[in-house]
């Protein structure tokens, strides 16, 4: 692509300037947060082991998916862009005959649909897949990694399923039986380590969609405890008071 741009500019006599970008702009430019994510889910070792809530980027763990949804909706009501996303741990159904979506993502009494599939007819008020990130009604669906990647929001709420859990003494462990991602599950044929590596990359994408903050709900208690051990006590009480 760079060669095509240079060639076209040369033909038109337009001078160009080239710059090298070290990384994409993620998490509001918070290198510390991205470094913390990478270290926490064992993508790479970094110096950011414990998240400091004094940072301008907001990070918190909530106790239920209902609380996560309420928090994201609260941020949206304040005029921010905000979306829920989740690991691919639930089936992704086609729309019903009337174009409404199936509440595939179920955790106890919590139930929400994924975003619409590509090239599927949807009912009025349900954005098509390529508009989920920008249409205000997208807040009523949960984005999967294939829809969320490439987009950023002011705030993101991430539901961690059981396809990737943390076990003290073992580290991060992937579980293909909990995954509904056929692309990633095929990698499990190469061994559990390859599956785990790909699922960690999936959650890295989801965790880094926020520009101002990221909030997490964990289905697995041990995983939640581990993440909590990597966050200094800070703004969780403030989040709770904001929702009251």
């Amino acid at each position: 692509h760079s060669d095509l741009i240079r060639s076209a500019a040369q033909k038109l006599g337009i001078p160009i300037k080239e710059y090298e970008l070290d990384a994409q702009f993620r998490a509001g430019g918070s290198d510390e947060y991205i470094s913390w994510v990478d270290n926490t889910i064992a993508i790479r070792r970094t110096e950011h082991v414990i998240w400091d809530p004094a940072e301008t980027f907001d990070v918190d763990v909530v106790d239920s998916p209902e609380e996560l949804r309420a928090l994201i909706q609260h941020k949206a009501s304040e005029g921010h862009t905000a979306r829920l996303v989740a690991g691919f741990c639930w089936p992704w159904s086609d729309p019903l005959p009337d174009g409404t979506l199936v509440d595939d993502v179920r955790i106890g009494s919590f139930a929400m649909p994924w975003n619409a599939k590509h090239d599927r007819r949807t009912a009025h008020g349900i954005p098509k897949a390529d508009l989920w990130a920008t249409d205000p009604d997208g807040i009523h669906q949960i984005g999967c990694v294939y829809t969320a990647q490439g987009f950023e929001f002011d705030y993101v709420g991430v539901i961690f399923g059981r396809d990737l859990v943390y076990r003290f003494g073992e580290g991060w462990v992937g579980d293909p039986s909990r995954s509904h991602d056929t692309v990633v599950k095929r990698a499990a044929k190469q061994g559990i380590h390859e599956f785990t590596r790909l699922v960690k990359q999936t959650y890295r994408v989801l965790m880094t969609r926020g520009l101002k903050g990221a909030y997490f709900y964990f289905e697995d208690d041990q995983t939640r405890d581990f993440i909590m051990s990597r966050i200094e006590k800070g703004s969780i009480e403030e989040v709770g008071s904001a929702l009251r």
Side-chain angles (χ1 to χ4, degrees):
H1 295 300
S2 297
D3 291 338
L4 289 174
I5 293 172
R6 291 192 198 97
S7 177
Q10 188 175 18
K11 289 178 181 178
L12 295 172
I14 300 174
I16 62 172
K17 294 182 179 180
E18 296 188 37
Y19 300 90
E20 184 173 342
L21 300 178
D22 293 330
Q24 288 181 287
F25 191 79
R26 290 281 184 265
S30 175
D31 292 337
E32 291 81 4
Y33 173 69
I34 294 175
S35 177
W36 175 80
V37 168
D38 284 350
N39 190 82
T40 301
I41 61 175
I43 298 291
R44 61 186 175 97
R45 289 188 177 183
T46 74
E47 63 184 22
H48 295 96
V49 177
I50 305 297
W51 180 253
D52 182 357
E55 296 284 351
T56 56
F57 190 87
D58 195 18
V59 177
D60 270 314
V61 176
V62 299
D63 295 328
S64 70
E66 289 88 354
E67 186 178 353
L68 187 66
R69 175 170 56 189
L71 179 53
I72 289 300
Q73 290 177 344
H74 175 72
K75 290 297 184 183
S77 72
E78 293 181 328
H80 301 288
T81 57
R83 288 293 185 274
L84 286 171
V85 297
F88 212 150
C89 298
W90 296 269
W92 191 5
S93 302
D94 288 333
L96 296 172
D98 63 357
T100 58
L101 303 178
V102 178
D103 288 337
D104 283 317
V105 182
R106 293 181 173 273
I107 304 170
S109 60
F110 175 87
M112 280 185 70
W114 290 112
N115 58 263
K117 288 185 175 181
H118 289 278
D119 301 322
R120 296 294 196 280
R121 183 182 66 83
T122 57
H124 178 72
I126 299 175
K128 295 184 181 298
D130 55 356
L131 298 177
W132 167 81
T134 55
D135 190 308
D137 285 325
I139 199 170
H140 302 301
Q141 300 94 42
I142 295 175
C144 72
V145 64
Y146 299 109
T147 307
Q149 62 186 351
F151 291 100
E152 284 82 36
F153 316 100
D154 291 335
Y155 294 93
V156 65
V158 183
I159 296 175
F160 257 77
R162 298 180 187 273
D163 56 344
L164 182 67
V165 297
Y166 188 87
R167 293 292 176 260
F168 291 93
E170 296 181 67
W172 289 99
V173 180
D175 185 351
S177 71
R178 298 283 188 169
S179 176
H180 285 265
D181 189 333
T182 55
V183 175
V184 172
K185 286 183 75 170
R186 280 198 292 269
K189 297 178 181 178
Q190 302 177 35
I192 189 61
H193 294 296
E194 179 64 9
F195 174 83
T196 301
R197 184 186 71 82
L198 291 174
V199 175
K200 287 196 294 184
Q201 290 290 345
T202 293
Y203 280 107
R204 184 186 191 274
V205 170
L206 299 179
M207 294 171 77
T208 56
R209 295 307 89 194
L211 295 171
K212 298 179 180 178
Y215 308 117
F216 310 115
Y217 165 73
F218 296 90
E219 271 201 290
D220 180 74
D221 290 340
Q222 289 187 49
T223 307
R224 179 185 188 277
D225 291 345
F226 170 70
I227 297 295
M228 290 290 290
S229 74
R230 295 298 184 96
I231 303 174
E232 286 188 13
K233 290 184 178 180
S235 58
I236 293 177
E237 293 81 2
E238 296 172 11
V239 170
S241 63
L243 296 175
R244 294 190 189 103

